Amino acid sequence: GGFSTAPTRTLTMPVVAKGPFRYRQVNVEAQAGDPESVLNAIKRFIRLRRECPEWGSGLCRVWQTGEPSVFVHSCEWRGKRLVAAHNFANKSGIVHLEQEPHHTLVPLCSSRHREAPAPPRLELDPYGYVWYRVLNRTAQTIGASVT
């Protein structure tokens, strides 16, 4: 699908030449030009993951949600914190995030693309997700007032 210039006979697996996923329809060139494509979604996730070292380096905490299909966790590292919620069911899931005083959740990404669910009540679409950066409003206020 655009990843190889090798002759077809030398490929390990045959190319998909028929059906809805045929290489002439689903290929790198087509995916690169479509902002909503899987290729571009993966690129956005990789970029976001690189911008958030907390995911791989931080102290992880799993939150109790009361909703078996929704997994919520947070990671903290070097004073930065992220919170993520993922719905693993084929139906909507609702959880309540208890926000700490003086903290704000800023959406980083969401399965809804343009609009992240607003805490404290999160309604996640089937297989939906949302990632937030946790900001301390007190620290921001103090930092802003120091000159």
Side-chain angles (χ1 to χ4, degrees):
F3 291 102
S4 176
T5 57
T8 304
R9 68 183 183 287
T10 64
L11 297 175
T12 304
M13 299 291 292
V15 296
V16 178
K18 296 180 181 175
F21 300 107
R22 62 189 175 277
Y23 73 92
R24 294 201 188 280
Q25 182 175 338
V26 179
N27 57 59
V28 174
E29 184 179 4
Q31 293 270 311
D34 178 3
E36 300 300 319
S37 71
V38 172
L39 175 66
N40 283 313
I42 296 299
K43 285 182 176 182
R44 284 191 299 274
F45 274 119
I46 290 170
R47 192 169 38 253
L48 183 59
R49 169 61 182 88
R50 287 180 178 156
E51 293 171 3
C52 301
E54 300 91 333
W55 286 140
S57 304
L59 176 65
C60 183
R61 185 179 127 224
V62 176
W63 298 29
Q64 297 301 316
T65 65
E67 181 70 45
S69 65
V70 178
F71 177 72
V72 178
H73 75 291
S74 62
C75 291
E76 188 169 353
W77 187 62
R78 294 187 177 175
K80 293 184 177 179
R81 188 164 27 148
L82 302 170
V83 174
H86 297 265
N87 182 9
F88 294 104
N90 63 356
K91 61 181 177 124
S92 294
I94 298 173
V95 294
H96 296 274
L97 292 183
E98 295 298 326
Q99 284 188 254
E100 298 171 32
H102 309 294
H103 286 80
T104 302
L105 297 179
V106 177
L108 294 174
C109 71
S110 168
S111 55
R112 292 187 180 174
H113 302 294
R114 291 165 182 56
E115 154 213 355
R121 182 182 185 271
L122 291 184
E123 182 173 353
L124 295 170
D125 294 334
Y127 305 110
Y129 61 88
V130 63
W131 294 4
Y132 295 102
R133 164 106 30 226
V134 181
L135 297 179
N136 183 330
R137 289 188 309 235
T138 305
Q140 288 176 333
T141 304
I142 293 169
S145 64
V146 176
T147 56

